[in-house]
Amino acid sequence: MDTKEDLEIESHPWPPFIPKGAKVLIMGTFPPQTKRWSMDFYYPNRTNDFWKICGLLFCGDKDALLKEDGKTYDVDKIRGLMTEKHIALNDTVRKARRLKGNASDKFLDVVEPVPLFDLLAEMPECHTVVTTGEKAAGIIAELTKTEIPKMGEMIKASIPGRKAGGDNETLEIWRMPSTSRAYPLSVERKAEYYARLFSHLNIL
């Protein structure tokens, strides 16, 4: 019988997406298997609600970021929107094992978490980290030595290496609902949480 150590260690497939002047970093856990991708970019699963939420809030239509075929997302349109809104994207896990061979966070063994503060050093204007799900929230809490926020709420932490007393020394860490369809909330209900977040950040 295979042990955990016998399972393949997967590396994250994409570099961080960091647009110029990024002010907020949105972080999931780890991408699904490539067979579930509808594009080669973050939140690639067609059934995931993340790009539906962004389409609904920023474009007024949950399908606004889909291509005309309605099956795949328009990566160029998505990159453009994230750049316009100064939103960076990355995940909380760099290397992982899938204990059950699926996309479930529950069965994801974290081998190497993201080097969060190294990442933030590349984004001097970023003062907000947003997690899209419980496991991602737990990983960020461990890395920042903070408590896990309640759903839709945030806590504050200091960013090592940033000038004491500076505008961006304090990091806001928000916990949002998971955008996976396995999380039992409608797209519209999830979007209400994200609308409050984006309004707080003055990007909605």
Side-chain angles (χ1 to χ4, degrees), residues 74-175:
D74 188 324
V75 178
D76 291 337
K77 190 179 291 186
I78 283 171
R79 285 175 173 270
L81 179 62
M82 295 297 97
T83 298
E84 175 190 335
K85 299 298 182 181
H86 304 291
I87 296 174
L89 300 166
N90 200 204
D91 287 319
T92 54
V93 178
R94 282 282 171 90
K95 294 183 179 181
R97 296 183 183 95
R98 299 185 198 273
L99 301 182
K100 298 290 186 180
N102 59 29
S104 172
D105 282 356
K106 183 179 179 180
F107 299 113
L108 191 73
D109 176 48
V110 178
V111 176
E112 181 185 325
V114 68
L116 178 64
F117 294 115
D118 290 347
L119 190 59
L120 289 172
E122 299 180 44
M123 295 179 276
E125 296 179 53
C126 180
H127 51 77
T128 306
V129 168
V130 178
T131 58
T132 60
E134 184 177 6
K135 192 175 186 76
I139 292 169
I140 294 301
E142 289 181 14
L143 293 173
T144 56
K145 297 179 173 57
T146 57
E147 297 294 318
I148 299 175
K150 294 180 180 179
M151 186 73 72
E153 298 184 7
M154 66 92 169
I155 54 92
K156 294 184 178 183
S158 295
I159 303 176
R162 289 199 180 171
K163 183 178 179 182
D167 291 341
N168 291 325
E169 179 202 10
T170 300
L171 181 70
E172 291 187 355
I173 303 171
W174 289 78
R175 177 187 171 192

Side-chain angles (χ1 to χ4, degrees), residues 51-71:
W51 298 118
K52 296 175 186 176
I53 291 168
C54 289
L56 189 61
L57 295 180
F58 295 131
C59 309
D61 178 2
K62 66 181 179 181
D63 295 327
L65 299 173
L66 286 169
K67 290 184 177 180
E68 289 185 7
D69 63 11
K71 298 177 182 178

